[in-house]
Amino acid sequence: MNWNMRIRQVHRWLSIIFTLAVLVNIAAMTQREPALWIGLLALFPLILLLASGLYMFALPYAARWRQG
């Protein structure tokens, strides 16, 4: 398994974690006083999704640039 395939796999799993965190956040919003950390729960996977998504977005451009 090469580096690009590993990044794609991590990106897929992060999207599942992010979706679960959003669902927990929605469920917590039905409570009277949701804890602050629950509101921030989805932020960490979202930042990692952004980083891996930008990496995958830039791959074709970097390949063309390297070919010259």
Side-chain angles (χ1 to χ4, degrees):
M1 191 189 255
N2 64 9
W3 182 252
N4 292 336
M5 294 300 286
R6 196 171 296 269
I7 292 289
R8 289 180 189 277
Q9 189 69 26
V10 166
H11 189 80
R12 286 185 198 119
W13 281 104
L14 282 171
S15 67
I16 292 170
I17 294 169
F18 174 71
T19 302
L20 291 174
V22 168
L23 291 175
V24 167
N25 196 358
I26 290 170
M29 290 298 178
T30 63
Q31 306 298 318
R32 284 196 180 148
E33 282 291 322
L36 179 64
W37 67 270
I38 293 177
L40 299 175
L41 186 64
L43 194 58
F44 183 67
L46 183 62
I47 292 169
L48 295 175
L49 272 171
L50 174 68
S52 62
L54 287 174
Y55 172 78
M56 289 190 299
F57 178 77
L59 277 177
Y61 299 108
R64 270 191 246 146
W65 179 71
R66 275 185 263 148
Q67 289 177 353

